[in-house]
Amino acid sequence: MIRLLARLSAPVLAAATLGMATAAQAQDRPTVVLVHGAWADGSCWSEVIPHLLSAGLKVVAVQNPLSSLEADAATVTRAIEDQSGDVVLVGHSYGGVVISEAGNHTKVQSLVYVAAFAPGPNQSVNTILSAFPQPEWFSSLHADAGGWVTWPAEPMARWFSAGLPAEQQAVLAATQHPTFFGVNDNAIGATAAWSTKPTHYVIADGDQIIPAPLQTHFATTMNATVTHADGGHLIMLAQPRVVADAIIAAVEAAD
C-alpha cells in the first residue's frame, strides 16, 4: 500500500499543483462582468459563459432591474466593487449604455460592446435614435398600465431574436424581462467610459434592432478593436464562440 501511494503521489501532486496554478491564474486575471440589455437577464450569456470558464476566467453575469439607468448602473457597480481585482466589463444592447456609465469605475480595465449602444457624454438611447426614422418594429412593442414594455412573441421572433431556432425564440419570449419605458430617456453622465478605457466591439452583421452601420459608427467613434459576427441582435446566442473569443482577447490585452 505504501509503495502504491508512492507511485500515485507524483501524478496526484502534479494535478493538484496544476489545479492550484490555474486557480491562482484566474485570481490574477480580470473578472469578466457581463451586463445584459433590455428584455433579457443574465441567462442571455449562457452560451458564452462556458467558453470563458474553459479559458480559466472568473465570470459574473449581473441581473439588472431594467427600471432606470441609475438603478442598472448601481447594480453593475456593486458587482464591480465585489470583485477582488480588476474587471473587463461587457455589455449587450442597452447594456452598452449601462457600461458606458458604470465602466468609469477604477477597477474596470477595458470594455466590450456586443451589438450595443455606445452613447457619448450626456446621451441617451433616445437621443441617439432621434436622428433616424422610427424603426418598423417599434409599433409592435406592448406597454402595460405601469409603463413596462415587452415584446409579443411573433414580432420578437421576427426582429429581436431573428435567426435563432423557433423553440429557443419561444422560450425567450416567455422568459423576457419587462423593461421600463423610461430607460431609453436616461442619459449617461459627462464622461463616457469608452473615452478613457480600451474598447472592443462585436458587430452583429445581421442585426435588425441596432443595424450594423450604426454599430460600426459606434466602434469607429470609440476607436474600438472590432470583431464581426454573422447573426442577428442576440449574437451571443447565435455566435457564442465568436463573442467569447472577443471577450478573451480583451482580457488578454488587459493582463
Side-chain angles (χ1 to χ4, degrees):
M1 178 63 72
I2 292 174
R3 291 194 187 94
L4 177 61
L5 290 174
R7 288 198 300 271
L8 288 174
S9 62
V12 169
L13 285 173
T17 301
L18 178 61
M20 288 187 290
T22 302
Q25 183 185 35
Q27 289 178 351
D28 291 341
R29 305 176 79 185
T31 297
V32 176
V33 176
L34 302 168
V35 182
H36 63 82
W39 305 296
D41 60 20
S43 67
C44 73
W45 300 102
S46 60
E47 300 293 329
V48 171
I49 290 171
H51 296 296
L52 301 179
L53 295 177
S54 293
L57 299 176
K58 180 183 177 185
V59 184
V60 174
V62 300
Q63 304 287 349
N64 276 334
L66 301 178
S67 55
S68 69
L69 175 57
E70 181 181 11
D72 295 333
T75 300
V76 174
T77 298
R78 285 196 302 272
I80 293 168
E81 292 179 343
D82 195 43
Q83 307 313 309
S84 59
D86 294 335
V87 165
V88 168
L89 195 56
V90 183
H92 172 254
S93 194
Y94 160 72
V97 182
V98 181
I99 70 171
S100 296
E101 180 69 23
N104 287 303
H105 197 286
T106 55
K107 282 188 175 182
V108 176
Q109 298 303 297
S110 64
L111 304 160
V112 183
Y113 290 76
V114 179
F117 288 104
N122 303 307
Q123 277 193 327
S124 66
V125 170
N126 280 342
T127 303
I128 296 168
L129 295 181
S130 65
F132 304 97
Q134 188 176 94
E136 184 181 357
W137 51 264
F138 186 81
S139 61
S140 298
L141 297 175
H142 168 74
D144 68 13
W148 290 84
V149 179
T150 53
W151 282 89
E154 191 278 329
M156 187 179 191
R158 191 190 319 167
W159 286 298
F160 189 77
S161 59
L164 297 177
E167 183 177 353
Q168 188 174 24
Q169 290 176 325
V171 171
L172 289 168
T175 59
Q176 64 182 295
H177 190 317
T179 301
F180 189 64
F181 82 99
V183 299
N184 285 342
D185 287 322
N186 297 158
I188 68 167
T191 302
W194 54 259
S195 67
T196 63
K197 311 277 175 107
T199 304
H200 297 246
Y201 200 111
V202 180
I203 296 174
D205 290 330
D207 199 333
Q208 299 182 81
I209 302 300
I210 307 176
L214 181 54
Q215 294 181 41
T216 300
H217 168 73
F218 292 141
T220 302
T221 301
M222 297 187 292
N223 194 29
T225 299
V226 172
T227 300
H228 284 269
D230 182 16
H233 189 57
L234 299 184
I235 197 64
M236 64 285 201
L237 293 173
Q239 296 283 0
R241 176 79 262 182
V242 176
V243 173
D245 284 347
I247 296 169
I248 293 166
V251 171
E252 291 174 345
D255 277 351

